[in-house]
Amino acid sequence: MKKILGTSLLLLSLAVFGQAKEDSIQFSKISIEILNKGKAYTELRDLTKNIGHRLSGSAAYEKSVQWAAQKLRDAGADKVWLQEVMIPVWERGRESLEIKTANGKWKSLKMLSLGNSEGTGGKDVSGEIIMVKSMEEYEKLPAEKVKGKIVFFNYPFSQSFVQTFNGYGDAAKYRVNAAALTAKKGGKFAIIRSLSSAFDDVPHTGGMRYEEKVDKIPAVAIGNTTADDLENALQKQTITAKLNSNCGMKGEKLSHSVIGELTGKKDQSVIVVGGHLDSWDVGEGAHDDGAGIVQSIEVLRTFKNLGIPNNHTIRVVCFANEENGVKGGIEYGKVAKENKERHLFAIESDAGGFSPRGVALNMEDLRRKEIQSWKHLFIPYGAYDFDEKYSGTDIYPLHDMGVPTAELMPDSQRYFDIHHTEEDTFEKVNRRELLLGATVMTQLIYMIDKNW
């Protein structure tokens, strides 16, 4: 009996070892294929230089829809289609922010209106600036101190967090809520210190929200250097600001997410890999999120080029409208539910094209532990962190339906230097880092397709 048991354990160990070796070999094949023949970097150059930034509702976004559909066909997708989605249309238009200096002259400041902000209708709106450095400080201000004023929320991006997404999350409430908070107390418009980890003067845009039954007043962002200068000036004298902005919402329009897939050989259960095709209307949308788009297409291309027989359907989704509405992600989840499609897993790349450090896993513990047990296979490719518990914005509707979701975790140290700015250009992306991210995503999808 002992001999039989011992033989069984030996055979089991040999089988596990053999399986691990087979997976390691496949991981190497995927890496070699992508690092040598991957097209993500050249495709990102094409997207950013020939189309540029791609705000939802813009002509450039519509051009990128056709671009993505063609790239998916070129990559070997069995099927490519456009998924209709109604998206909000926001336009920036001309804008300026000035302050009156001690000598009575007006000085122009670098600024960007926040996304979805209403403007001034092309008229000058001016008033005295009051500064607060925290939500708590603002909440203590009586309404009569705010009425008719401009509120400057001067809350710095915390440098204490090693994971810069934590610093971003900590400061984001000021961008999202500044206009509504200011309006509730009768202020004319809000200025925020940009959500930036850099020590420069580059303003960062990004989404904000209004509240029902509260006036829709403008909100703008200034860079860190300007914010410091403004703080110093306010400590010495009264400062008047003047805003002129033509931005605002222009209703809705019909647009599309772009979808391509390799049909499953075993069944039609779906594994989603994706990013968002839109970007803000500054820079080129290279890291946010052109990188995620070309990495996702690279996953499909690699399965096709290596002849990996995918058991389940591998579906690339280039989501519409993540930046100022998430309408593409919401519509995808709605259609998936209506069609009763079985989704096994979904991963998004929306944290930049830097070197991969791991994958955040937003799922039940049993599935998380299974993926964590594969960590040794990923370590040679620089991915070691599988402990975080979150996933991409576009795939949250799938997560809410019970689908295990995840997000690629690149090195985050430089991301919020350029996030939502004119600095987010193709030149900021490194080829090998971008392709390594695509490698890790392909390796993970290979393991899930094989084992789930």
Side-chain angles (χ1 to χ4, degrees):
M1 183 66 180
K2 288 182 179 179
K3 185 176 180 180
I4 294 173
L5 182 59
T7 302
S8 298
L9 290 172
L10 177 60
L11 290 172
L12 179 60
S13 298
L14 289 171
V16 170
F17 175 78
Q19 192 62 63
K21 185 177 180 181
E22 178 185 320
D23 292 335
S24 180
I25 291 170
Q26 188 62 269
F27 270 41
S28 179
K29 288 180 180 178
I30 289 169
S31 176
I32 291 170
E33 170 70 19
I34 292 176
L35 290 177
N36 285 283
K37 300 179 182 178
K39 295 183 179 180
Y41 188 67
T42 55
E43 289 184 346
L44 183 63
R45 180 191 290 116
D46 186 26
L47 177 63
T48 55
K49 296 304 180 185
N50 293 326
I51 297 178
H53 53 68
R54 308 165 298 282
L55 183 64
S56 287
S58 67
Y61 179 77
E62 296 308 319
K63 187 176 179 181
S64 74
V65 167
Q66 299 306 317
W67 178 92
Q70 187 58 51
K71 293 304 179 185
L72 282 163
R73 294 186 193 102
D74 294 345
D78 298 331
K79 292 195 298 183
V80 177
W81 70 98
L82 307 184
Q83 185 172 86
E84 291 187 349
V85 54
M86 293 299 296
I87 60 171
V89 179
W90 180 79
E91 295 179 359
R92 181 176 301 279
R94 297 179 63 182
E95 57 188 12
S96 64
L97 176 65
E98 299 174 276
I99 59 170
K100 187 178 286 188
T101 60
N103 61 12
K105 294 183 178 180
W106 289 98
K107 175 185 177 183
S108 180
L109 302 183
K110 290 183 68 175
M111 53 77 73
L112 284 173
S113 292
L114 296 182
N116 291 359
S117 172
E118 294 296 328
T120 66
K123 300 176 181 179
D124 290 343
V125 173
S126 61
E128 179 188 337
I129 300 176
I130 58 173
M131 180 182 71
V132 294
K133 302 197 79 171
S134 69
M135 287 289 187
E136 293 73 22
E137 184 179 346
Y138 181 73
E139 288 169 0
K140 291 176 183 177
L141 284 177
E144 57 266 25
K145 293 280 189 179
V146 178
K147 189 173 182 180
K149 306 286 177 54
I150 288 93
V151 181
F152 171 35
F153 290 88
N154 189 24
Y155 184 83
F157 187 106
S158 176
Q159 301 292 334
S160 300
F161 297 104
V162 174
Q163 293 289 348
T164 58
F165 277 86
N166 293 329
Y168 178 72
D170 173 63
K173 57 182 176 287
Y174 292 88
R175 189 188 72 201
V176 171
N177 300 308
L181 290 170
T182 301
K184 285 178 180 179
K185 294 186 179 183
K188 291 186 175 180
F189 65 88
I191 302 171
I192 70 158
R193 185 186 189 106
S194 287
L195 275 62
S196 172
S197 53
F199 289 81
D200 59 23
D201 201 31
V202 178
H204 294 231
T205 190
M208 50 82 70
R209 286 199 299 261
Y210 289 115
E211 294 183 14
E212 290 186 12
K213 300 180 181 179
V214 176
D215 289 343
K216 294 181 178 182
I217 64 171
V220 304
I222 56 177
N224 280 332
T225 303
T226 293
D228 290 338
D229 291 346
L230 183 55
E231 178 181 354
N232 291 334
L234 285 167
Q235 291 171 350
K236 300 170 186 175
Q237 60 189 316
T238 299
I239 301 289
T240 299
K242 178 172 64 178
L243 176 68
N244 190 304
S245 169
N246 289 278
C247 67
M249 299 299 296
K250 308 296 181 183
E252 292 184 321
K253 68 176 291 187
L254 180 66
S255 190
H256 301 87
S257 296
V258 185
I259 305 173
E261 67 182 30
L262 292 176
T263 306
K265 309 297 189 290
K266 175 183 173 183
D267 60 42
Q268 305 303 299
S269 298
V270 179
I271 297 172
V272 165
V273 55
H276 63 85
L277 188 55
D278 64 309
S279 74
W280 284 112
D281 60 326
V282 291
E284 296 172 350
H287 278 289
D288 187 20
D289 183 29
I293 292 295
V294 296
Q295 287 173 328
S296 299
I297 296 171
E298 196 73 69
V299 172
L300 187 149
R301 179 186 296 111
T302 304
F303 266 79
K304 190 76 173 182
N305 287 354
L306 290 180
I308 301 172
N310 52 300
N311 292 319
H312 314 293
T313 293
I314 296 174
R315 180 178 293 171
V316 176
V317 184
C318 304
F319 293 98
N321 186 236
E322 188 270 351
E323 294 292 9
N324 67 325
V326 201
K327 299 298 185 180
I330 293 169
E331 183 66 16
Y332 181 85
K334 176 174 173 286
V335 172
K337 188 173 184 179
E338 288 173 351
N339 292 341
K340 297 181 179 178
E341 291 182 322
R342 181 171 181 249
H343 280 67
L344 292 179
F345 177 77
I347 182 170
E348 183 166 20
S349 172
D350 184 21
F354 300 104
S355 292
R357 295 289 181 251
V359 179
L361 305 172
N362 199 5
M363 58 194 67
E364 63 181 17
D365 285 344
L366 192 62
R367 286 300 194 191
R368 181 181 297 108
K369 288 177 181 177
E370 182 179 6
I371 293 174
Q372 288 171 337
S373 73
W374 305 332
K375 185 167 74 171
H376 65 285
L377 293 166
F378 291 94
I379 287 176
Y381 305 92
Y384 58 84
D385 188 351
F386 293 82
D387 295 327
E388 297 295 327
K389 299 180 180 180
Y390 62 86
S391 54
T393 301
D394 291 299
I395 55 178
Y396 256 92
L398 291 176
H399 173 76
D400 292 344
M401 291 161 54
V403 178
T405 54
E407 183 164 12
L408 182 69
M409 291 171 51
D411 186 290
S412 69
Q413 302 311 315
R414 291 171 287 166
Y415 186 58
F416 292 106
D417 289 8
I418 62 176
H419 183 246
H420 295 174
T421 76
E422 62 188 17
E423 299 290 310
D424 185 8
T425 61
F426 173 74
E427 288 76 14
K428 301 297 191 303
V429 180
N430 176 272
R431 179 185 180 278
R432 286 186 61 84
E433 291 182 349
L434 179 73
L435 293 177
L436 279 170
T439 296
V440 168
M441 291 170 71
T442 307
Q443 291 166 337
L444 179 59
I445 290 171
Y446 159 76
M447 291 296 289
I448 287 171
D449 179 66
K450 176 182 175 182
N451 293 287
W452 287 18

